[in-house]
PDB file of all heavy atoms in Angstrom:
ATOM      1  N   ALA A 391     105.881 122.133  89.560  1.00  0.00           N
ATOM      2  CA  ALA A 391     106.838 123.182  89.167  1.00  0.00           C
ATOM      3  C   ALA A 391     106.483 124.402  90.048  1.00  0.00           C
ATOM      4  O   ALA A 391     105.372 124.697  90.386  1.00  0.00           O
ATOM      5  CB  ALA A 391     106.549 123.566  87.735  1.00  0.00           C
ATOM      6  N   TYR A 392     107.568 125.204  90.342  1.00  0.00           N
ATOM      7  CA  TYR A 392     107.478 126.361  91.184  1.00  0.00           C
ATOM      8  C   TYR A 392     106.387 127.358  90.568  1.00  0.00           C
ATOM      9  O   TYR A 392     105.577 127.891  91.252  1.00  0.00           O
ATOM     10  CB  TYR A 392     108.797 127.089  91.180  1.00  0.00           C
ATOM     11  CG  TYR A 392     109.008 128.182  92.182  1.00  0.00           C
ATOM     12  CD1 TYR A 392     109.179 127.980  93.531  1.00  0.00           C
ATOM     13  CD2 TYR A 392     108.964 129.510  91.745  1.00  0.00           C
ATOM     14  CE1 TYR A 392     109.360 129.013  94.454  1.00  0.00           C
ATOM     15  CE2 TYR A 392     109.087 130.607  92.646  1.00  0.00           C
ATOM     16  CZ  TYR A 392     109.383 130.342  94.006  1.00  0.00           C
ATOM     17  OH  TYR A 392     109.453 131.323  94.922  1.00  0.00           O
ATOM     18  N   LYS A 393     106.439 127.411  89.191  1.00  0.00           N
ATOM     19  CA  LYS A 393     105.518 128.234  88.453  1.00  0.00           C
ATOM     20  C   LYS A 393     104.050 127.867  88.744  1.00  0.00           C
ATOM     21  O   LYS A 393     103.118 128.703  88.754  1.00  0.00           O
ATOM     22  CB  LYS A 393     105.884 128.115  87.025  1.00  0.00           C
ATOM     23  CG  LYS A 393     105.780 129.382  86.266  1.00  0.00           C
ATOM     24  CD  LYS A 393     106.195 129.128  84.831  1.00  0.00           C
ATOM     25  CE  LYS A 393     105.812 130.296  83.983  1.00  0.00           C
ATOM     26  NZ  LYS A 393     106.312 130.093  82.650  1.00  0.00           N
ATOM     27  N   THR A 394     103.837 126.594  88.864  1.00  0.00           N
ATOM     28  CA  THR A 394     102.409 126.150  89.098  1.00  0.00           C
ATOM     29  C   THR A 394     101.949 126.717  90.420  1.00  0.00           C
ATOM     30  O   THR A 394     100.757 127.130  90.545  1.00  0.00           O
ATOM     31  CB  THR A 394     102.401 124.560  89.133  1.00  0.00           C
ATOM     32  OG1 THR A 394     102.974 124.072  87.943  1.00  0.00           O
ATOM     33  CG2 THR A 394     101.050 124.029  89.394  1.00  0.00           C
ATOM     34  N   ILE A 395     102.798 126.711  91.454  1.00  0.00           N
ATOM     35  CA  ILE A 395     102.337 127.258  92.758  1.00  0.00           C
ATOM     36  C   ILE A 395     102.150 128.827  92.577  1.00  0.00           C
ATOM     37  O   ILE A 395     101.102 129.325  92.986  1.00  0.00           O
ATOM     38  CB  ILE A 395     103.494 126.958  93.789  1.00  0.00           C
ATOM     39  CG1 ILE A 395     103.584 125.472  93.923  1.00  0.00           C
ATOM     40  CG2 ILE A 395     103.037 127.586  95.153  1.00  0.00           C
ATOM     41  CD1 ILE A 395     104.738 125.104  94.852  1.00  0.00           C
ATOM     42  N   GLU A 396     103.044 129.484  91.875  1.00  0.00           N
ATOM     43  CA  GLU A 396     102.910 130.923  91.632  1.00  0.00           C
ATOM     44  C   GLU A 396     101.600 131.270  90.999  1.00  0.00           C
ATOM     45  O   GLU A 396     100.910 132.143  91.402  1.00  0.00           O
ATOM     46  CB  GLU A 396     104.075 131.414  90.818  1.00  0.00           C
ATOM     47  CG  GLU A 396     105.319 131.699  91.558  1.00  0.00           C
ATOM     48  CD  GLU A 396     106.494 132.191  90.656  1.00  0.00           C
ATOM     49  OE1 GLU A 396     106.554 131.816  89.459  1.00  0.00           O
ATOM     50  OE2 GLU A 396     107.273 132.966  91.097  1.00  0.00           O
ATOM     51  N   LYS A 397     101.266 130.469  89.928  1.00  0.00           N
ATOM     52  CA  LYS A 397     100.079 130.714  89.216  1.00  0.00           C
ATOM     53  C   LYS A 397      98.809 130.353  89.939  1.00  0.00           C
ATOM     54  O   LYS A 397      97.764 130.881  89.723  1.00  0.00           O
ATOM     55  CB  LYS A 397     100.169 129.997  87.852  1.00  0.00           C
ATOM     56  CG  LYS A 397     101.051 130.694  86.814  1.00  0.00           C
ATOM     57  CD  LYS A 397     101.141 129.850  85.540  1.00  0.00           C
ATOM     58  CE  LYS A 397      99.954 130.157  84.675  1.00  0.00           C
ATOM     59  NZ  LYS A 397     100.172 129.424  83.386  1.00  0.00           N
ATOM     60  N   ALA A 398      98.926 129.396  90.920  1.00  0.00           N
ATOM     61  CA  ALA A 398      97.760 128.882  91.639  1.00  0.00           C
ATOM     62  C   ALA A 398      97.408 129.815  92.881  1.00  0.00           C
ATOM     63  O   ALA A 398      96.265 129.787  93.304  1.00  0.00           O
ATOM     64  CB  ALA A 398      97.951 127.436  92.100  1.00  0.00           C
ATOM     65  N   LEU A 399      98.438 130.464  93.379  1.00  0.00           N
ATOM     66  CA  LEU A 399      98.257 131.234  94.632  1.00  0.00           C
ATOM     67  C   LEU A 399      97.080 132.233  94.584  1.00  0.00           C
ATOM     68  O   LEU A 399      96.232 132.277  95.466  1.00  0.00           O
ATOM     69  CB  LEU A 399      99.506 131.888  95.060  1.00  0.00           C
ATOM     70  CG  LEU A 399     100.525 130.993  95.831  1.00  0.00           C
ATOM     71  CD1 LEU A 399     101.863 131.698  96.065  1.00  0.00           C
ATOM     72  CD2 LEU A 399      99.917 130.410  97.081  1.00  0.00           C
ATOM     73  N   PRO A 400      96.927 133.009  93.465  1.00  0.00           N
ATOM     74  CA  PRO A 400      95.797 133.924  93.396  1.00  0.00           C
ATOM     75  C   PRO A 400      94.424 133.181  93.531  1.00  0.00           C
ATOM     76  O   PRO A 400      93.485 133.748  94.177  1.00  0.00           O
ATOM     77  CB  PRO A 400      95.914 134.586  91.959  1.00  0.00           C
ATOM     78  CG  PRO A 400      97.384 134.394  91.711  1.00  0.00           C
ATOM     79  CD  PRO A 400      97.833 133.147  92.319  1.00  0.00           C
ATOM     80  N   GLY A 401      94.358 131.976  92.936  1.00  0.00           N
ATOM     81  CA  GLY A 401      93.189 131.177  93.118  1.00  0.00           C
ATOM     82  C   GLY A 401      92.869 130.793  94.555  1.00  0.00           C
ATOM     83  O   GLY A 401      91.744 130.932  95.038  1.00  0.00           O
ATOM     84  N   PHE A 402      93.895 130.388  95.272  1.00  0.00           N
ATOM     85  CA  PHE A 402      93.803 130.106  96.718  1.00  0.00           C
ATOM     86  C   PHE A 402      93.277 131.297  97.517  1.00  0.00           C
ATOM     87  O   PHE A 402      92.505 131.195  98.422  1.00  0.00           O
ATOM     88  CB  PHE A 402      95.106 129.597  97.324  1.00  0.00           C
ATOM     89  CG  PHE A 402      95.396 128.088  96.983  1.00  0.00           C
ATOM     90  CD1 PHE A 402      96.400 127.733  96.163  1.00  0.00           C
ATOM     91  CD2 PHE A 402      94.637 127.083  97.619  1.00  0.00           C
ATOM     92  CE1 PHE A 402      96.670 126.368  95.904  1.00  0.00           C
ATOM     93  CE2 PHE A 402      94.857 125.748  97.394  1.00  0.00           C
ATOM     94  CZ  PHE A 402      95.914 125.423  96.505  1.00  0.00           C
ATOM     95  N   LYS A 403      93.857 132.473  97.110  1.00  0.00           N
ATOM     96  CA  LYS A 403      93.494 133.683  97.795  1.00  0.00           C
ATOM     97  C   LYS A 403      92.055 134.056  97.541  1.00  0.00           C
ATOM     98  O   LYS A 403      91.197 134.309  98.457  1.00  0.00           O
ATOM     99  CB  LYS A 403      94.403 134.911  97.249  1.00  0.00           C
ATOM    100  CG  LYS A 403      94.147 136.145  97.941  1.00  0.00           C
ATOM    101  CD  LYS A 403      95.359 137.156  97.555  1.00  0.00           C
ATOM    102  CE  LYS A 403      95.298 138.358  98.358  1.00  0.00           C
ATOM    103  NZ  LYS A 403      94.793 139.568  97.690  1.00  0.00           N
ATOM    104  N   ALA A 404      91.609 134.020  96.244  1.00  0.00           N
ATOM    105  CA  ALA A 404      90.223 134.331  95.930  1.00  0.00           C
ATOM    106  C   ALA A 404      89.260 133.279  96.660  1.00  0.00           C
ATOM    107  O   ALA A 404      88.216 133.698  97.161  1.00  0.00           O
ATOM    108  CB  ALA A 404      90.085 134.194  94.435  1.00  0.00           C
ATOM    109  N   LEU A 405      89.640 132.087  96.786  1.00  0.00           N
ATOM    110  CA  LEU A 405      88.844 131.032  97.371  1.00  0.00           C
ATOM    111  C   LEU A 405      88.480 131.369  98.756  1.00  0.00           C
ATOM    112  O   LEU A 405      87.305 131.389  99.201  1.00  0.00           O
ATOM    113  CB  LEU A 405      89.646 129.716  97.395  1.00  0.00           C
ATOM    114  CG  LEU A 405      89.120 128.556  96.511  1.00  0.00           C
ATOM    115  CD1 LEU A 405      90.104 127.379  96.642  1.00  0.00           C
ATOM    116  CD2 LEU A 405      87.744 128.141  96.845  1.00  0.00           C
ATOM    117  N   ILE A 406      89.490 131.711  99.577  1.00  0.00           N
ATOM    118  CA  ILE A 406      89.281 132.023 100.994  1.00  0.00           C
ATOM    119  C   ILE A 406      88.478 133.301 101.199  1.00  0.00           C
ATOM    120  O   ILE A 406      87.667 133.476 102.044  1.00  0.00           O
ATOM    121  CB  ILE A 406      90.596 131.903 101.886  1.00  0.00           C
ATOM    122  CG1 ILE A 406      90.223 131.842 103.358  1.00  0.00           C
ATOM    123  CG2 ILE A 406      91.516 133.137 101.561  1.00  0.00           C
ATOM    124  CD1 ILE A 406      91.371 131.443 104.234  1.00  0.00           C
ATOM    125  N   GLU A 407      88.812 134.301 100.288  1.00  0.00           N
ATOM    126  CA  GLU A 407      88.090 135.558 100.360  1.00  0.00           C
ATOM    127  C   GLU A 407      86.604 135.436 100.059  1.00  0.00           C
ATOM    128  O   GLU A 407      85.790 135.926 100.773  1.00  0.00           O
ATOM    129  CB  GLU A 407      88.752 136.585  99.444  1.00  0.00           C
ATOM    130  CG  GLU A 407      90.033 137.173 100.149  1.00  0.00           C
ATOM    131  CD  GLU A 407      90.879 138.072  99.232  1.00  0.00           C
ATOM    132  OE1 GLU A 407      90.431 138.345  98.045  1.00  0.00           O
ATOM    133  OE2 GLU A 407      91.875 138.537  99.677  1.00  0.00           O
ATOM    134  N   GLU A 408      86.311 134.637  99.095  1.00  0.00           N
ATOM    135  CA  GLU A 408      84.929 134.339  98.687  1.00  0.00           C
ATOM    136  C   GLU A 408      84.117 133.735  99.860  1.00  0.00           C
ATOM    137  O   GLU A 408      82.945 133.786  99.964  1.00  0.00           O
ATOM    138  CB  GLU A 408      84.763 133.553  97.411  1.00  0.00           C
ATOM    139  CG  GLU A 408      85.168 134.320  96.171  1.00  0.00           C
ATOM    140  CD  GLU A 408      85.480 133.460  94.947  1.00  0.00           C
ATOM    141  OE1 GLU A 408      85.120 132.276  94.989  1.00  0.00           O
ATOM    142  OE2 GLU A 408      86.170 134.017  94.077  1.00  0.00           O
ATOM    143  N   LEU A 409      84.914 132.869 100.704  1.00  0.00           N
ATOM    144  CA  LEU A 409      84.193 132.178 101.755  1.00  0.00           C
ATOM    145  C   LEU A 409      84.077 132.930 103.014  1.00  0.00           C
ATOM    146  O   LEU A 409      83.473 132.465 103.990  1.00  0.00           O
ATOM    147  CB  LEU A 409      84.946 130.802 101.942  1.00  0.00           C
ATOM    148  CG  LEU A 409      84.866 129.840 100.841  1.00  0.00           C
ATOM    149  CD1 LEU A 409      85.870 128.687 100.991  1.00  0.00           C
ATOM    150  CD2 LEU A 409      83.495 129.334 100.749  1.00  0.00           C
ATOM    151  N   LYS A 410      84.716 134.077 103.130  1.00  0.00           N
ATOM    152  CA  LYS A 410      84.772 134.898 104.396  1.00  0.00           C
ATOM    153  C   LYS A 410      83.362 135.462 104.562  1.00  0.00           C
ATOM    154  O   LYS A 410      82.677 135.902 103.702  1.00  0.00           O
ATOM    155  CB  LYS A 410      85.863 135.904 104.312  1.00  0.00           C
ATOM    156  CG  LYS A 410      87.084 135.409 105.044  1.00  0.00           C
ATOM    157  CD  LYS A 410      88.138 136.489 104.874  1.00  0.00           C
ATOM    158  CE  LYS A 410      89.519 135.922 105.249  1.00  0.00           C
ATOM    159  NZ  LYS A 410      90.643 136.641 104.744  1.00  0.00           N
TER     160      LYS A 410
END
Side-chain angles (χ1 to χ4, degrees):
Y392 191 80
K393 219 173 164 177
T394 304
I395 301 174
E396 280 180 327
K397 285 177 80 177
L399 281 174
F402 279 110
K403 183 166 190 255
L405 249 177
I406 194 166
E407 280 172 0
E408 284 161 22
L409 291 168
K410 263 177 196 161

